[in-house]
Each structure stands twice: as structure tokens, then as C-alpha cells.
Amino acid sequence: MADRRRRDQAVVRALLDAHGRTYAEDAGIRLRDTPQPLYQLLVLSVLLSARIRGAAAVGAARELFAAGLRDPRRMAGASWQQRVDALGRGGYRRYDERTSTQLGDGAELVEREYGGDLRRLREAAGDDDRALRGLLQEVPGLGPTGSDIFLREVQRVWPDLAPRLGEKALQGARRLGLPDDPKELVRLAGDADPAALAAALVRAALDKTIAQELTAEPDGS
């Protein structure tokens, strides 16, 4: 049992060292508990929830933000074509037209219902996790997968939500031969950021080569 735990701890440490960055960090979002970065994370979550490569979603988010569409007022005020063009520059071409509409409608909803501040959405949900998910899923393009992504990443600045890994992260844990109990995974990670742990496990679920690298037997030569 002790040997297995040491092995699991070593795998988790190696995973975090190699892949322990959040998707928000990849997209250049300096996540804080303030309106603009929270909205940017919402946009990224919408983009990541489509059946498209994560790199394309991250690239599209970067292009949208580089075009100045960093808050709901500017996103809603941009033309549909401006959003399409930014998504295309990021490589987000398969879903660009539909997603442009969703981003515009979602920005209007966030402005109308929450004054552009997603902290008000959280306040409206109170301590009810189901209500929080439900309110997030009212945002166009943000279904169960997207709400999981948002909550998984936002736990860095909303720590009372932690630990939150999600089913995709648990798939990654199973691929690595780790326990799929969220509390045990957090214990194995020690004082690591749960958001970074979740993102690293998601990457392991999406990329089988990560598991091959981390679980390969050492070369005895």
C-alpha cells in the first residue's frame, strides 16, 4: 500500500511539473476575482466546450482579447463579423459563425442580468451548487461541459468551491492508473493548486501520450 501511494504521488508530481498550468493561463488570462478576468474565463469556457482542439479554443480566446473584446460591453458592441474574424484568426473555423452569435448573446445576458459582473451570478446562486451550474448554463453556448470547465478553473479565485475536478479530470486520473476519488487526488497533490491539478488531469485524459510518458517503466540499461 505504501509503495503504491509513493508511486501515485510521484506520478502526480510529474504530471503537475509537466502540465500543471490552467487553460486560463494558456489564454493569457490573469485570473482574479474581478469582473473582466471572470468574463474572459467565461468566454474561454464557451470556446473550450465545443468539439474542437483545445489549442484552437485558447488561440481564439487570445485573438478575441487582442481585438479588445475583453468585457461583455465590448463583446456585445462588436459586430458579428468582427467576432467571426477574431475566431478565425485563432483557428476556430468550424464553429466560428455559431459561436460569434453565442458570444454576442451571452455578453448581452451578462450585462443585462449581472451588470457585467459574474460575482453577482455567484451571489444569486448562493451556496447552491446546482443553482450555480444552472445560472451558468443560461449563458448561450455554455452547457454542462462548459460550466464544468468554468468552475474547474475559477476555483483558483473562488477557493470555497475547491476541490473541483470534474469527470474529464477523473478520466485522466484513471488513464494514469491513479485513484478516481477527488479528495484522494488532492491529497496526493499535497499543497498544489486544485485548478492546476484539474487542468493537468484533463490534459492526461485528452492526450494519451501523457500517460505513456508518465507511467512508462524506467529503462534499466
Side-chain angles (χ1 to χ4, degrees):
M1 181 70 74
D3 287 345
R4 174 59 186 269
R5 183 170 180 80
R6 282 194 290 271
R7 175 266 178 198
D8 289 350
Q9 287 175 323
V11 169
V12 171
R13 282 196 298 271
L15 176 69
L16 285 167
D17 287 345
H19 304 286
R21 62 190 182 281
T22 66
Y23 285 87
E25 288 173 319
D26 281 352
I29 300 170
R30 297 181 180 181
L31 194 58
R32 299 185 301 277
D33 190 20
T34 55
Q36 185 165 293
L38 290 174
Y39 174 71
Q40 291 172 1
L41 178 59
L42 188 76
V43 169
L44 177 63
S45 301
V46 169
L47 298 175
L48 284 168
S49 63
R51 293 182 180 275
I52 197 165
R53 292 181 303 108
V58 167
R62 284 184 168 274
E63 289 294 337
L64 286 165
F65 305 150
L69 311 185
R70 302 184 187 93
D71 60 53
R73 181 179 61 82
R74 292 184 177 90
M75 185 70 78
S79 71
W80 179 84
Q81 190 62 53
Q82 285 174 317
R83 294 191 295 265
V84 167
D85 290 345
L87 291 167
R89 289 194 298 273
Y92 202 88
R93 295 186 177 86
R94 184 177 175 189
Y95 301 99
D96 54 352
E97 296 185 356
R98 183 184 72 182
T99 301
S100 175
T101 299
Q102 290 172 334
L103 290 174
D105 292 344
E108 291 176 2
L109 182 147
V110 172
E111 276 287 285
R112 181 177 67 250
E113 299 294 332
Y114 307 110
D117 188 347
L118 290 171
R119 294 174 299 183
R120 296 181 183 176
L121 180 148
R122 187 184 180 200
E123 290 170 3
D127 295 325
D128 188 332
D129 189 75
R130 189 171 181 177
L132 179 57
R133 287 175 177 275
L135 291 175
L136 285 169
Q137 290 174 35
E138 290 179 0
V139 176
L142 201 74
T145 297
S147 64
D148 277 349
I149 293 168
F150 180 86
L151 294 171
R152 193 177 72 213
E153 296 263 323
V154 83
Q155 66 183 318
R156 171 168 284 182
V157 294
W158 291 353
D160 54 311
L161 298 182
R164 186 176 294 265
L165 301 184
E167 180 53 33
K168 184 61 72 174
L170 298 183
Q171 289 177 22
R174 290 190 286 270
R175 173 169 275 178
L176 293 167
L178 296 168
D180 61 0
D181 180 312
K183 291 182 180 178
E184 178 59 22
L185 288 166
V186 169
R187 282 193 288 268
L188 290 169
D191 60 358
D193 173 19
L197 173 63
L201 288 169
V202 167
R203 289 188 171 91
L206 297 174
D207 184 352
K208 65 182 180 182
T209 64
I210 292 175
Q212 292 168 353
E213 292 167 1
L214 295 181
T215 60
E217 293 294 327
D219 189 344
S221 60

